[in-house]
């Protein structure tokens, strides 16, 4: 240590990071959390501008390499970067404080919105109209998210093929674990040059999915072939169950927070039945109104399942992998993820996740687009989202849908 700085070594490159007081470090990342509008791209750009371009904690090359690691690992990349930089400055305690500071504003705001949602409900016709319109806008946001993730992941016929298979399997009621493992193995075998085994495995999977489709049909929102729509809520999840749901979702959020949607939706709407599809869409809509990673909608899901304890437990489960990968395993994963075979498996797994999101999106659109007015709002929102790019685009789209709902009285 020299002149208030601490030296850190990563991937053979020495970097110099200021050793900040813990209180100041927490406030720095709390400030980032208060300004975390616009999704992961805007959040990462904000962190890069402040810590790399302005204060030069690390070089641009070092930042890009670290970002590359977190783009492969599950979890919200911007949050993981905060934990990583906090750890560089003040060790694991600093990493923990930085991560908590970044997520705290969104967590508090989402808890407040969840309480208001349950306390006052949607009995007012105007609120019903607003949330009907906002659900249509959220469906457009998910379509944009699936498209952007797919552009980076579906790069050849193998990744496209496993994505389609995973989507059909999701609709047929096949458990996602089988789909994702199969997708990873197929792409890994193909890129290793073992095309015949890859084709054989893909063929077996296609036949199995075809059998499930014949028996159960294609039900995008279901698991085990069961349709779950706008029906009554009847589940009472336990806190350990909510924790497990959060952990599993946090471990499977490859490629961005949108990839958590099918896993949490399956647990909350289909299997656990503690909320409806409409309520799930409302939670996604609320997350677009606040400065936070999109994955903060998990707080709403947990709140509807178990009140304040349920919200905190589910949120802790979702964010735990992001903390753990940075605090404990960053250097290890930076080395291991450079292995070509593992990269190919993860590429296939991520392509499978894109298929799961696509299938879930179909069901969420069915729940959110219920009349001509919502279809019109969805179409306009899609056009705006694909035409423009702004730090405040998401909250502006949600606000515009709110206004349209009031004017059109969408019901």
């Amino acid at each position: 240590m020299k002149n208030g700085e601490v030296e850190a070594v990563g991937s053979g490159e020495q970097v110099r990071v200021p050793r900040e007081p813990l209180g100041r470090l927490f406030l720095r990342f709390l400030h980032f959390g208060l300004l975390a509008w616009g999704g992961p791209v805007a959040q990462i750009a904000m962190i890069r501008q402040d810590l790399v371009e302005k204060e030069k904690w690390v070089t641009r090359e070092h930042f890009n390499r670290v970002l590359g690691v977190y783009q492969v690992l599950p979890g919200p990349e911007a949050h993981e970067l905060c934990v990583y930089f906090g750890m560089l400055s003040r060790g694991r305690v600093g990493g923990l404080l930085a991560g908590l500071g970044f997520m705290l504003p969104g967590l508090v705001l989402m808890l407040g919105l969840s309480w208001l949602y349950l306390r006052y409900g949607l009995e007012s016709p105007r609120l019903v109209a607003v949330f009907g319109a906002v659900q249509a806008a959220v469906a457009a946001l998910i379509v944009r998210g699936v498209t952007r993730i797919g552009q980076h992941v579906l790069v050849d016929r193998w990744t496209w093929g496993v994505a389609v298979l995973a989507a059909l399997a999701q609709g047929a009621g096949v458990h996602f674990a089988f789909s994702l493992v199969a997708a990873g193995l197929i792409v890994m075998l193909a890129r290793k040059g073992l095309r015949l085994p890859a084709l054989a495995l893909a063929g077996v999977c296609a036949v199995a999915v075809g059998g499930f489709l014949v028996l159960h049909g294609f039900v995008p929102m279901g698991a085990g072939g069961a349709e779950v729509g706008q029906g009554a809520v009847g589940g009472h999840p336990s806190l350990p169950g909510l924790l497990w749901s959060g952990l599993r979702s946090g471990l499977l959020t490859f490629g961005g927070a949108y990839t958590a949607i099918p896993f949490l939706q399956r647990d909350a709407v289909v299997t656990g039945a503690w909320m409806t599809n409409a309520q799930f869409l409302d939670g996604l809509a609320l997350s677009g109104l606040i400065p936070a990673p999109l994955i903060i909608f998990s707080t709403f899901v947990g709140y509807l399942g178990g009140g304040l304890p349920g919200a905190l437990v589910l949120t802790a489960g979702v964010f735990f992998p992001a903390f753990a990968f940075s605090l404990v395993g960053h250097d290890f994963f930076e080395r291991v993820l450079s292995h070509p075979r593992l990269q190919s498996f993860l590429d296939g797994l991520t392509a499978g996740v894109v298929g799961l999101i696509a299938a879930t999106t179909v069901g969420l659109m069915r729940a959110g687009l219920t009349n001509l007015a919502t279809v019109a709002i969805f179409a306009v929102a899609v056009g705006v989202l694909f035409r423009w790019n702004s730090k405040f685009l998401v909250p502006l789209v949600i606000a515009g849908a709110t206004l349209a709902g009031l004017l059109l009285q969408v019901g």
Side-chain angles (χ1 to χ4, degrees):
M1 185 177 69
K2 184 169 62 176
N3 297 327
E5 295 185 340
V6 60
E7 295 185 353
V9 179
S11 301
E13 177 185 290
Q14 196 173 64
V15 297
R16 304 182 71 84
V17 181
R19 182 178 173 83
E20 294 196 335
L22 291 175
R24 180 180 174 184
L25 187 71
F26 175 78
L27 290 175
R28 174 191 287 275
F29 287 94
L30 181 69
H31 175 75
F32 285 153
L34 288 167
L35 299 177
W37 301 95
V41 174
Q43 293 160 8
I44 291 169
M46 174 178 60
I47 296 168
R48 182 199 299 266
Q49 176 63 30
D50 201 77
L51 300 185
V52 180
E53 304 295 340
K54 183 179 177 182
E55 300 194 20
K56 303 187 184 304
W57 281 29
V58 298
T59 65
R60 295 177 183 176
E61 293 76 17
H62 184 95
F63 179 87
N64 290 338
R65 186 171 60 251
V66 172
L67 177 60
V69 172
Y70 292 130
Q71 285 176 330
V72 175
L73 289 172
E77 297 101 321
H79 178 266
E80 289 170 325
L81 283 170
C82 290
V83 177
Y84 175 76
F85 278 112
M87 184 175 64
L88 283 185
S89 179
R90 291 301 303 269
R92 291 188 171 89
V93 173
L96 182 63
L97 289 175
L100 290 174
F102 183 71
M103 67 179 289
L104 187 61
L107 174 63
V108 172
L109 289 170
M110 183 54 80
L111 286 173
L113 290 173
S114 301
W115 179 82
L116 289 171
Y117 182 91
L118 283 186
R119 174 68 176 82
Y120 295 102
L122 297 178
E123 296 179 1
S124 165
R126 288 191 174 184
L127 280 178
V128 172
V130 166
F131 274 89
V134 169
Q135 286 177 4
V138 169
L141 286 169
I142 299 173
V143 169
R144 184 193 68 158
V146 174
T147 303
R148 288 191 170 183
I149 296 170
Q151 286 176 344
H152 300 289
V153 174
L154 308 183
V155 295
D156 55 34
R157 61 183 180 179
W158 292 102
T159 48
W160 271 100
V162 297
V164 171
L165 270 177
L168 293 174
Q170 172 81 343
V174 178
H175 195 281
F176 64 81
F178 295 105
S179 303
L180 298 184
V181 172
L185 289 174
I186 290 169
V187 173
M188 184 182 73
L189 290 171
R191 291 185 178 175
K192 193 181 176 184
L194 301 174
R195 300 200 170 199
L196 285 178
L199 284 172
L201 179 56
V204 170
C205 292
V207 170
V209 170
F212 271 83
L213 287 172
V214 169
L215 291 173
H216 304 297
F218 185 80
V219 185
M221 295 303 294
E227 172 80 49
V228 178
Q230 306 282 353
V233 178
H236 299 283
S238 65
L239 291 181
L242 289 171
L243 178 62
W244 171 240
S245 178
L247 283 170
R248 184 172 53 190
S249 299
L251 286 168
L252 292 170
T253 53
F254 291 93
Y258 284 103
T259 60
I261 290 174
F263 308 116
L264 281 176
Q265 182 272 339
R266 181 179 184 274
D267 287 347
V269 179
V270 180
T271 305
W274 71 76
M275 63 192 303
T276 65
N277 284 328
Q279 290 173 328
F280 191 84
L281 277 167
D282 290 341
L284 286 166
L286 291 173
S287 69
L289 296 173
I290 59 179
L294 177 72
I295 195 65
I296 205 67
F297 80 88
S298 60
T299 302
F300 177 86
V301 175
Y303 198 96
L304 266 64
L308 178 60
L312 295 177
V313 165
L314 184 59
T315 305
V318 166
F319 278 90
F320 178 78
F323 277 102
F325 288 134
S326 299
L327 294 176
V328 179
H330 174 85
D331 291 339
F332 169 77
F333 285 112
E334 192 169 10
R335 292 192 302 269
V336 170
L337 290 174
S338 63
H339 195 287
R341 193 174 299 176
L342 182 58
Q343 284 183 332
S344 297
F345 179 83
L346 289 174
D347 286 345
L349 187 149
T350 307
V353 171
V354 171
L356 297 185
I357 310 172
T360 304
T361 302
V362 173
L364 291 174
M365 289 174 64
R366 287 170 56 185
L369 308 183
T370 55
N371 51 43
L372 287 177
T374 52
V375 171
I377 292 170
F378 169 80
V380 172
V382 167
V384 170
L385 289 167
F386 279 90
R387 175 65 178 83
W388 287 285
N389 189 20
S390 166
K391 180 178 181 179
F392 298 103
L393 185 60
V394 173
L396 286 174
V397 167
I398 298 296
T402 300
L403 180 60
L406 289 172
L407 293 177
L408 300 175
Q409 289 292 290
V410 176

